[in-house]
Amino acid sequence: MTKTHRLYPSAHIAELFFPLTRDENAVAQVVRRIADGGYYRGFETGIIHQPPVAETIRAIAGQHGLNVTQWLTFELLKDRLNLSSLDTALREKSIKRACELVHLAAACGTSKLSLVSGDDPGEERREEAKKGFAEALVRVGETARQYPDMLVQVEPLDRFAHKRQLIGPTGETVEWMMRLRPDCPRLYLAWDSAHVALNQEDLADSLKLAAPIMSQMHLANAILDPQAQGYGDYHMKFGEPGFLTAGVAARIIRTALALPLSPELKAISIAVEMRTGEGDDLWDNERQCRAFLQRALAAAENPG
């Protein structure tokens, strides 16, 4: 078995096929084609609402042995909800909705329930917001524990550059999450290269800090020059003018392969995050991202 078996390729359908995300039947068709392609061992979508579609996706995933990741982010943003809001009424409404969504995710066979925090309120009220978000995660985690195969993962975003979210820098996030884990034991971190870079962190150092609780990796690109057009996290294509070249991607993977994974996880998923738009050739973009990931994995295992 090669070392790269510790990282399994995942298709980020919610981004690669972004124009289709509101058409759940179309998403199911994409899942089927992804599964039939035989390369990916997992896929990521938003929440599916229609029971027949959820049943179809669950059946496809089960038949092909695919891991299912679903993101609450789109659903919560749509309803202007915020799990870390300082407004207790809004936070309570957000928590109740997130817990409802846990059950919808379970209907798809989801093993990784994924979410992000809300906006950073600033240094003076940051700890207050983190306390509220911790309460939200514990309650969402309690609901998720009804499903033994489901974990909850939080993606730290950039705090200062673009998204300006509460949960951001890796070291601070890992320390906070480790304190929370006794009350939320299946809590993990979804690592994203774009947000780490926009936080002006060293990618390798961030991976080393995240490794004990890391359950997923996104190879995501961004323009890092604050004076340049497109600065920030816009889910852009890999390569220049962003920082995520093939060489950088290979170094990220090589670093991850050398790190000890969480003992509860046999492997973690890795996906290229690139958002498509109306008029894009969606399957050609998927092919390009798949080829980029394949090259990066191969280069990481066979440097030189």
Side-chain angles (χ1 to χ4, degrees):
M1 178 180 291
T2 60
K3 287 169 59 179
T4 48
H5 279 74
R6 299 175 61 210
L7 299 178
Y8 65 83
S10 179
H12 199 335
I13 291 173
E15 296 290 346
L16 286 173
F17 297 88
F18 186 74
L20 304 180
T21 51
R22 297 191 181 203
D23 185 341
E24 293 186 356
N25 286 300
V27 171
Q29 291 173 12
V30 171
V31 169
R32 186 178 299 280
R33 185 166 165 181
I34 288 289
D36 289 341
Y39 175 66
Y40 297 105
R41 289 175 51 202
F43 59 86
E44 304 176 36
T45 73
I47 295 296
I48 300 296
H49 297 81
Q50 300 176 59
V53 178
E55 184 178 347
T56 296
I57 290 175
R58 184 184 186 119
I60 295 169
Q63 179 184 356
H64 292 269
L66 300 178
N67 295 276
V68 184
T69 297
Q70 289 194 312
W71 288 88
L72 303 189
T73 311
F74 310 102
E75 203 69 28
L76 297 178
L77 287 175
K78 180 185 71 175
D79 296 330
R80 298 184 179 180
L81 299 176
N82 181 350
L83 291 168
S84 63
S85 175
L86 295 169
D87 180 334
T88 55
L90 175 59
R91 189 171 70 248
E92 180 64 24
K93 180 181 178 182
S94 303
I95 293 170
K96 288 182 176 178
R97 181 55 179 153
C99 289
E100 292 171 357
L101 295 172
V102 171
H103 302 299
L104 292 182
C108 278
T110 296
S111 59
K112 295 180 187 177
L113 186 76
S114 312
L115 47 86
V116 299
S117 66
D119 293 340
D120 177 37
E123 187 173 354
E124 289 187 0
R125 303 195 71 182
R126 188 173 294 148
E127 290 306 312
E128 181 184 353
K130 288 167 76 173
K131 183 178 179 181
F133 189 43
E135 175 195 347
L137 289 174
V138 169
R139 288 174 58 185
V140 171
E142 287 172 348
T143 305
R145 280 206 294 272
Q146 297 177 41
Y147 307 99
D149 295 331
M150 185 183 293
L151 59 81
V152 176
Q153 60 181 16
V154 174
E155 181 181 51
L157 304 188
D158 56 273
R159 179 176 285 166
F160 311 107
H162 179 193
K163 300 297 174 64
R164 303 190 178 189
Q165 293 280 290
L166 172 67
I167 300 302
T170 308
E172 175 189 319
T173 298
V174 171
E175 182 180 344
W176 176 76
M177 289 177 69
M178 293 299 285
R179 291 199 305 268
L180 187 55
R181 269 189 139 204
D183 296 317
C184 193
R186 290 184 59 77
L187 179 64
Y188 289 85
L189 184 148
W191 188 90
D192 183 290
S193 59
H195 296 297
V196 170
L198 286 165
N199 279 328
Q200 299 183 6
E201 300 179 67
D202 180 84
L203 296 168
D205 289 345
S206 171
L207 283 166
K208 292 171 187 175
L209 290 169
I213 54 172
M214 186 167 65
S215 53
Q216 172 173 294
M217 296 173 63
H218 278 169
L219 296 176
N221 200 12
I223 292 174
L224 304 182
D225 180 356
Q227 306 305 317
Q229 184 176 1
Y231 170 63
D233 175 51
Y234 291 98
H235 301 181
M236 64 186 289
K237 185 177 180 179
F238 49 84
E240 297 179 349
F243 75 94
L244 189 71
T245 62
V248 170
R251 287 194 294 274
I252 288 170
I253 294 170
R254 194 174 303 127
T255 299
L257 291 174
L259 297 173
L261 299 180
S262 169
E264 300 92 357
L265 302 178
K266 295 180 180 178
I268 65 175
S269 59
I270 183 167
V272 176
E273 183 174 21
M274 184 178 83
R275 178 171 293 187
T276 53
E278 296 291 344
D280 286 349
D281 185 330
L282 305 185
W283 283 104
D284 182 62
N285 286 335
E286 180 279 324
R287 180 192 60 76
Q288 291 183 49
C289 286
R290 174 164 31 97
F292 180 80
L293 179 57
Q294 289 172 318
R295 290 195 302 272
L297 286 165
E301 191 162 74
N302 300 289

